[in-house]
Amino acid sequence: MALFALQLKFTDPDRRMEVRPAHRDYLAELHAAGKLHEAGPFADQSGALLIYDVADEAELGEILARDPYTTAGVYEIVTLLEWERGFPPA
């Protein structure tokens, strides 16, 4: 398994709020399945940071493709990088 850090920039705030309940339900499913480590918006609501625990970037692409935020087109990817947990030790 690999950890990936995804930083998003929100592009359509009104549409985002319409889709947010479905997005959060989807994130809850991913978390329950062990695929989402952590997620949340920045305090200024300009974007979000999500940490995924997946087999590889291809699996992450499949997960993102099914996310209601993706299908609604409410964000742009700012950064997508494989991430190494440094602290606390695993």
Side-chain angles (χ1 to χ4, degrees):
M1 298 303 277
L3 295 172
F4 284 87
L6 174 64
Q7 180 184 355
L8 305 177
K9 174 185 171 188
F10 297 133
T11 58
D12 188 339
D14 293 334
R15 180 71 176 130
R16 173 184 165 246
M17 296 310 285
E18 293 172 11
V19 179
R20 187 164 73 169
H23 167 72
R24 287 189 170 177
D25 288 346
Y26 183 62
L27 294 185
E29 292 173 17
L30 293 174
H31 186 263
K35 299 295 181 180
L36 180 66
H37 195 281
E38 295 189 48
F42 297 120
D44 68 359
Q45 302 297 311
S46 65
L49 179 66
L50 301 94
I51 307 292
Y52 292 92
D53 190 353
V54 294
D56 52 31
E57 195 168 342
E59 181 184 12
L60 179 55
E62 293 170 6
I63 286 170
L64 292 177
R66 292 189 300 270
D67 189 316
Y69 272 9
T70 301
T71 56
V74 300
Y75 71 87
E76 296 174 357
I77 293 176
V78 175
T79 305
L80 173 59
L81 294 170
E82 191 167 353
W83 181 68
E84 294 180 359
R85 182 178 179 183
F87 190 86

